[in-house]
Amino acid sequence: MSKKGFDFNLEIENVKDDEKFNNDVMIKEIQELVDNTPFPIKTIGFYENSGNLAVEGQVCRETKKEAEAEYTIFKEKLLRILKKYYTGVKIKGIDRMKLYFTTIR
């Protein structure tokens, strides 16, 4: 049976590599989220051109709807963590790329 999924690239607007981001408690919470996410997160870093936080990964499930749901849960948890520490700043997740695929069996 084939599975459906996508590679994603998520940019978090207004989260920069600055003194606010260098919070050990917040970084630990993000690391826990990544460690407990049921799909692989390939990279977390900052874009050179915008300086915003970026997350790359891949979600693959039985259906496209299941993959989208897992991704949405991860994205909302990440945004919730960031909003807790970035008060007074509008934090927004922007889906920069989603490349859909179907596995062949």
Side-chain angles (χ1 to χ4, degrees), residues 70-82:
E70 289 247 356
Y71 172 70
T72 301
I73 290 167
F74 166 77
K75 181 177 167 181
E76 291 307 314
K77 285 180 178 178
L78 177 60
L79 290 174
R80 198 173 316 129
I81 290 168
L82 293 169

Side-chain angles (χ1 to χ4, degrees), residues 91-102:
I91 303 299
K92 181 179 174 186
I94 302 167
D95 293 316
R96 289 289 175 213
M97 176 192 72
K98 282 188 178 177
L99 297 175
Y100 290 91
F101 62 83
T102 301

Side-chain angles (χ1 to χ4, degrees), residues 30-103:
I30 293 170
Q31 185 62 53
E32 273 183 37
L33 174 62
V34 168
D35 292 344
N36 294 315
T37 298
F39 53 84
I41 302 298
K42 297 176 186 174
T43 307
I44 296 180
F46 295 91
Y47 280 124
E48 283 185 31
N49 57 349
S50 68
N52 290 329
L53 182 67
V55 181
E56 293 181 27
Q58 182 182 78
V59 186
C60 186
R61 295 292 174 257
E62 297 297 321
T63 66
K64 181 179 173 183
K65 193 172 186 175
E66 289 173 341
E68 287 285 354
E70 289 247 356
Y71 172 70
T72 301
I73 290 167
F74 166 77
K75 181 177 167 181
E76 291 307 314
K77 285 180 178 178
L78 177 60
L79 290 174
R80 198 173 316 129
I81 290 168
L82 293 169
K83 286 176 182 177
K84 184 166 60 170
Y85 294 97
Y86 279 81
T87 56
V89 177
K90 183 173 178 162
I91 303 299
K92 181 179 174 186
I94 302 167
D95 293 316
R96 289 289 175 213
M97 176 192 72
K98 282 188 178 177
L99 297 175
Y100 290 91
F101 62 83
T102 301
T103 61

